[in-house]
Amino acid sequence: MSNWLTVLPPILAIIVVFWRKEVILALFVALASSEILLLSQVGVTYYTPLSGLISTLERIVGVFSSAGNTRILIFSLLVGALLAFMRASGGVTALVTKLINGGIANSPRKVGLLSFFTGVVVFIESNLSVLTAGILSRGLFDKFNMSRARLAYIIDSTSAPICILILLNGWGAYILALLGNYELPESSVSTLIGTIPLNFYAIIALVLVLYTVISGKTYGTLAEAERNPQATLAHTEIEQPATKARYMLLPLMTMVFSMVGFMFWTGNGELTSGDGSKSVLYATSLACLVSYVLMRTSGQYRHKQLIDIGFKGMGELLPLVTIVLLSLALGTSLKALGTGNFIAGLVADSLPLFIVPAMLFLAGSLISFSTGTSWGTFAILIPIGMPLVVNLGLPPELILAAILGGGVFGDHCSPISDTTAVSSIASGCDLLEHVRTQLPYALVGGVLTFIAYIVAGLVMI
């Protein structure tokens, strides 16, 4: 089906996310419409809404026919259990206390650097990154009369950019799963690694954070907040019982180091040839086991309590797992429909190729802003962008980097982003105050990035 109807599913997805601001509904509507179009494509002349629904459900079930896809879904659930174990054990609070009592932060600059580098080190998961850095630093920010809005900006603008640059985490595994359906010039892992120097928004965002921390200067709405730090405080505070720092450190270190080890192992000694979905699943499972054993042997938790904690954590991530499931199904369906091929033809005939990366960055920004999720944005745009690479010979690293950067930028600007909300909670900053003070910095980074992709398109295409 090489006609305009093939672009209807992604258009419907974009309309729904702007209208309802709900990515799960948008992905389901797009998937259902794609399956109905596929029924007509294969010659089914008579079908009912029920047949379209059945085809949609079978497409979702078909996701599990891929071992890699199934690993990603299981990993997404296990991350919820791991985070729940870390919270319940009090390991995060204990680590905070240890660092503070050690005299590591004794000036505003050192406090800011501590927040930044904590977010860098905890690159495994964006929410874990902001929770750790926020809880670690907010008391110190109060001591040096720095606003909670500044803390919220630092941890929010560090977490996602770091996660998308240091890809030994769920972000990398998820993107690898989305890339698995396309025959790219290089391996999916090599392509993903190649996006690192081209992910201009993530790099610019981190540079802006470092400038703010080192110089101590703030601008615009954030400068206003600095003049009245108490006004940025939220009404609630996060309290966790302190136990031992090892309850957080050991599982986290297990996950980081074992993930690297499993990448080497599954790649027969080559890191870039490693299997991302296997490595991240094995490492997360091992980290969960370590966390379980630590808490069980402490004598404070029974087996049933730990199981309940783990499943509660999994339940918190069910919306994310649903997004992953629908996005994988939609990517397969759109590939069968030929959406990417048709759009590639339109781009080749009507748009200068050099501007394609900038336009994909812009599209990703709009979708991510409207939905509050970068992962859902990747699910919509990667099935569109990768066929452009295959059919038009565009640089895969540049196209993918533009999509990833757009997803992160829109997420930074969005008041309905989960990372925005968690950053506010972790820092103890009012949500709307955080959105208002971070937006100017994100917009500056977004404009510079758009220009950078135009220049990169002129140079590389």
Side-chain angles (χ1 to χ4, degrees):
M1 181 181 292
S2 296
N3 56 55
W4 66 271
L5 286 176
T6 62
V7 302
L8 182 60
I11 289 176
L12 285 175
I14 294 172
I15 290 174
V16 171
V17 298
F18 273 101
W19 173 42
R20 301 292 298 179
K21 296 180 173 58
E22 184 180 343
V23 71
I24 291 178
L25 177 62
L27 290 172
F28 186 82
V29 169
L31 177 59
S33 62
S34 179
E35 289 301 308
I36 290 173
L37 289 173
L38 280 171
L39 288 175
S40 64
Q41 185 183 50
V42 298
V44 178
T45 56
Y46 176 76
Y47 53 87
T48 64
L50 180 60
S51 62
L53 176 61
I54 291 173
S55 181
T56 300
L57 293 176
E58 287 299 320
R59 181 69 69 181
I60 295 173
V61 171
V63 169
F64 296 95
S65 64
S66 166
N69 290 345
T70 306
R71 292 188 197 103
I72 295 300
L73 294 170
I74 297 175
F75 156 75
S76 299
L77 287 173
L78 288 178
V79 166
L82 181 60
L83 294 176
F85 285 149
M86 288 181 176
R87 291 197 304 265
S89 69
V92 174
T93 303
L95 181 61
V96 168
T97 303
K98 183 179 289 290
L99 290 173
I100 292 175
N101 291 340
I104 293 175
N106 55 12
S107 70
R109 180 179 297 174
K110 287 185 178 180
V111 170
L113 287 174
L114 177 63
S115 305
F116 175 79
F117 284 112
T118 301
V120 171
V121 171
V122 189
F123 61 84
I124 295 299
E125 206 276 331
S126 57
N127 285 340
L128 180 61
S129 173
V130 296
L131 280 170
T132 304
I135 295 172
L136 175 70
S137 306
R138 57 186 183 174
L140 295 170
F141 270 65
D142 293 343
K143 179 179 179 180
F144 290 98
N145 202 34
M146 296 185 290
S147 72
R148 295 289 184 90
R150 190 200 294 204
L151 174 59
Y153 160 66
I154 290 172
I155 61 177
D156 196 358
S157 291
T158 300
S159 62
I162 281 295
C163 286
I164 208 66
L165 290 175
I166 304 177
L167 292 158
L168 297 172
N169 50 35
W171 292 61
Y174 172 62
I175 297 164
L176 285 175
L178 294 178
L179 294 176
N181 293 324
Y182 306 99
E183 297 181 1
L184 301 175
E186 300 178 354
S187 70
S188 297
V189 173
S190 297
T191 299
L192 192 56
I193 292 175
T195 65
I196 294 174
L198 298 172
N199 202 325
F200 301 130
Y201 177 75
I203 294 171
I204 291 172
L206 292 174
V207 169
L208 288 175
V209 170
L210 273 177
Y211 169 78
T212 301
V213 169
I214 294 173
S215 69
K217 296 180 180 178
T218 55
Y219 303 94
T221 49
L222 186 55
E224 295 175 8
E226 285 295 296
R227 287 192 285 269
N228 187 14
Q230 294 301 314
T232 66
L233 290 171
H235 296 294
T236 59
E237 291 288 325
I238 296 177
E239 296 292 341
Q240 291 181 318
T243 51
K244 298 292 185 181
R246 63 173 177 266
Y247 288 114
M248 178 179 175
L249 278 177
L250 288 181
L252 189 61
M253 292 172 64
T254 297
M255 189 173 185
V256 173
F257 291 113
S258 66
M259 190 176 300
V260 176
F262 284 127
M263 285 292 287
F264 276 107
W265 181 52
T266 57
N268 296 319
E270 294 286 339
L271 180 65
T272 57
S273 300
D275 189 314
S277 65
K278 286 183 179 180
S279 300
V280 75
L281 175 60
Y282 300 162
T284 308
S285 300
L286 188 58
C288 284
L289 178 60
V290 169
S291 188
Y292 171 88
V293 171
L294 285 172
M295 296 176 71
R296 185 70 180 89
T297 55
S298 70
Q300 300 181 28
Y301 297 91
R302 299 190 304 273
H303 170 74
K304 187 179 184 304
Q305 285 179 294
L306 293 174
I307 295 299
D308 290 342
I309 290 171
F311 275 106
K312 183 179 179 181
M314 292 182 187
E316 293 172 355
L317 289 192
L318 276 179
L320 172 60
V321 177
T322 303
I323 289 175
V324 174
L325 176 61
L326 291 178
S327 65
L328 293 171
L330 178 60
T332 303
S333 184
L334 289 179
K335 182 180 179 182
L337 188 63
T339 301
N341 294 333
F342 177 70
I343 293 177
L346 288 179
V347 171
D349 294 336
S350 58
L351 270 182
L353 294 184
F354 77 88
I355 206 172
V356 170
M359 296 308 295
L360 285 174
F361 172 78
L362 181 60
S365 304
L366 294 174
I367 295 172
S368 182
F369 176 82
S370 301
T371 63
T373 171
S374 51
W375 285 37
T377 301
F378 304 157
I380 293 172
L381 286 184
I382 285 179
I384 294 175
M386 290 306 100
L388 299 180
V389 170
V390 174
N391 295 328
L392 301 179
L394 301 180
E397 296 87 355
L398 181 62
I399 298 300
L400 182 59
I403 294 172
L404 301 182
V408 173
F409 167 56
D411 188 73
H412 273 171
C413 297
S414 177
I416 61 174
S417 162
D418 61 340
T419 309
T420 301
V422 173
S423 298
S424 300
I425 294 171
S427 62
C429 175
D430 178 75
L431 173 62
L432 294 181
E433 184 69 13
H434 171 42
V435 173
R436 186 178 75 91
T437 52
Q438 178 168 258
L439 186 59
Y441 287 83
L443 289 175
V444 169
V447 171
L448 292 176
T449 301
F450 185 81
I451 296 172
Y453 279 122
I454 292 178
V455 175
L458 288 169
V459 173
M460 299 179 63
I461 297 178

